[in-house]
């Protein structure tokens, strides 16, 4: 493997991206017992923020490309896909956005049933086709999950899926920014 280097300007750009993309304190309060509504909205906002921050640092040295404009989440993630965000991340974030939209239009709706959860698991798994992270986490949680039922089971699995999805998104964005701010 060849060593990589970057100029001081490139390093500052990468460091600024990292600083602004760090895990928000709001996620510290989200856990396996958090309500579905809280998990969906928090992870949706975090993923949107990560992608928007990536766009800003990739093309505008951290300056907001979307400032002063009325872009929807869908338009931001479509823009991101058109500039290099992998299709698998686009699909996963789009699915989470549609779940969030259900909640936005009816806060009393149950946005995630077993079918939707399975779609979310598949979308998250597809982000990295070589490493099925959910499947690798499941055996360690299997006994705990099987002892749960109903809403508690749904919340537990949802947290595992959404947190893993966000980590995969962050990992892609981190690697992409590293590669564009360094050279062999």
């Amino acid at each position: 493997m060849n060593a990589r280097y970057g100029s001081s300007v490139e390093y500052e750009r990468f460091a600024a991206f990292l600083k602004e993309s760090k895990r928000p304190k709001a996620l510290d309060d989200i856990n396996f017992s958090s309500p579905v509504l809280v998990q969906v909205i928090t992870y949706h906002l975090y993923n949107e923020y990560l992608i928007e921050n990536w766009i800003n640092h990739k093309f505008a040295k951290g300056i907001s490309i979307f400032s002063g404009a009325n872009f929807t989440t869908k338009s931001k993630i479509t823009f991101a896909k058109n500039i290099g965000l992998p299709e698998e991340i686009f699909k996963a974030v789009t699915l989470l956005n549609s779940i969030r939209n259900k909640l936005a239009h009816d806060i009393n709706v149950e946005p995630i049933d077993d079918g939707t959860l399975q779609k979310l698991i598949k979308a998250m798994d597809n982000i990295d086709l070589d490493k099925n992270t959910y499947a690798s986490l499941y055996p360690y949680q299997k006994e705990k999950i099987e002892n749960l039922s109903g809403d508690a089971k749904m919340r537990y699995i949802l947290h595992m899926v959404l947190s893993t999805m966000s980590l995969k998104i962050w990992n892609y964005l981190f690697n992409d920014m590293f590669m564009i701010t360094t050279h062999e």
Side-chain angles (χ1 to χ4, degrees), residues 78-89:
T78 300
F79 179 79
K81 180 186 69 133
N82 291 340
I83 62 167
L85 188 72
E87 183 73 23
E88 294 83 7
I89 292 176

Side-chain angles (χ1 to χ4, degrees), residues 20-39:
E20 292 175 26
S21 298
K22 70 180 181 180
R23 185 175 164 29
K25 292 191 183 302
L27 287 181
D28 293 344
D29 295 330
I30 306 300
N31 58 45
F32 295 112
S33 63
S34 297
V36 169
L37 172 72
V38 173
Q39 289 188 52

Side-chain angles (χ1 to χ4, degrees), residues 3-180:
R4 299 190 68 84
Y5 70 93
S7 69
S8 60
V9 170
E10 290 168 322
Y11 172 78
E12 289 171 12
R13 181 175 162 203
F14 183 65
F17 168 76
L18 291 179
K19 182 179 179 186
E20 292 175 26
S21 298
K22 70 180 181 180
R23 185 175 164 29
K25 292 191 183 302
L27 287 181
D28 293 344
D29 295 330
I30 306 300
N31 58 45
F32 295 112
S33 63
S34 297
V36 169
L37 172 72
V38 173
Q39 289 188 52
V40 167
I41 290 174
T42 305
Y43 277 105
H44 172 272
L45 290 171
Y46 178 55
N47 292 338
E48 180 181 6
Y49 173 79
L50 282 176
I51 292 168
E52 185 173 340
N53 193 41
W54 171 70
I55 293 167
N56 293 339
H57 283 278
K58 187 170 178 126
F59 292 102
K61 298 179 183 174
I63 298 167
S64 177
I65 289 177
F66 303 108
S67 181
N70 190 18
F71 285 88
T72 64
T73 299
K74 179 72 172 173
S75 61
K76 288 177 189 177
I77 59 177
T78 300
F79 179 79
K81 180 186 69 133
N82 291 340
I83 62 167
L85 188 72
E87 183 73 23
E88 294 83 7
I89 292 176
F90 172 77
K91 288 178 180 178
V93 173
T94 298
L95 178 58
L96 183 57
N97 186 51
S98 70
I99 294 167
R100 199 264 337 152
N101 283 343
K102 283 182 187 176
L103 289 167
H105 296 288
D106 184 359
I107 202 163
N108 294 314
V109 72
E110 290 296 328
I112 299 185
D113 55 22
D114 287 334
T116 302
L117 183 61
Q118 292 307 311
K119 287 178 189 175
L120 200 54
I121 290 168
K122 185 174 188 300
M124 183 275 301
D125 278 346
N126 286 339
I127 290 174
D128 185 356
L129 300 175
D130 295 332
K131 297 174 187 158
N132 187 322
T133 305
Y134 177 76
S136 67
L137 288 174
Y138 188 82
Y140 302 106
Q141 301 294 325
K142 186 176 181 180
E143 186 176 317
K144 172 77 174 174
I145 292 169
E146 288 178 356
N147 289 328
L148 297 171
S149 62
D151 194 47
K153 185 174 185 174
M154 174 73 69
R155 290 189 315 263
Y156 199 94
I157 294 171
L158 181 64
H159 182 266
M160 193 171 12
V161 171
L162 293 178
S163 60
T164 303
M165 178 190 297
S166 290
L167 285 171
K168 286 181 169 190
I169 293 167
W170 188 90
N171 187 54
Y172 170 80
L173 301 177
F174 170 89
N175 285 319
D176 184 70
M177 284 302 297
F178 178 73
M179 296 306 284
I180 65 172

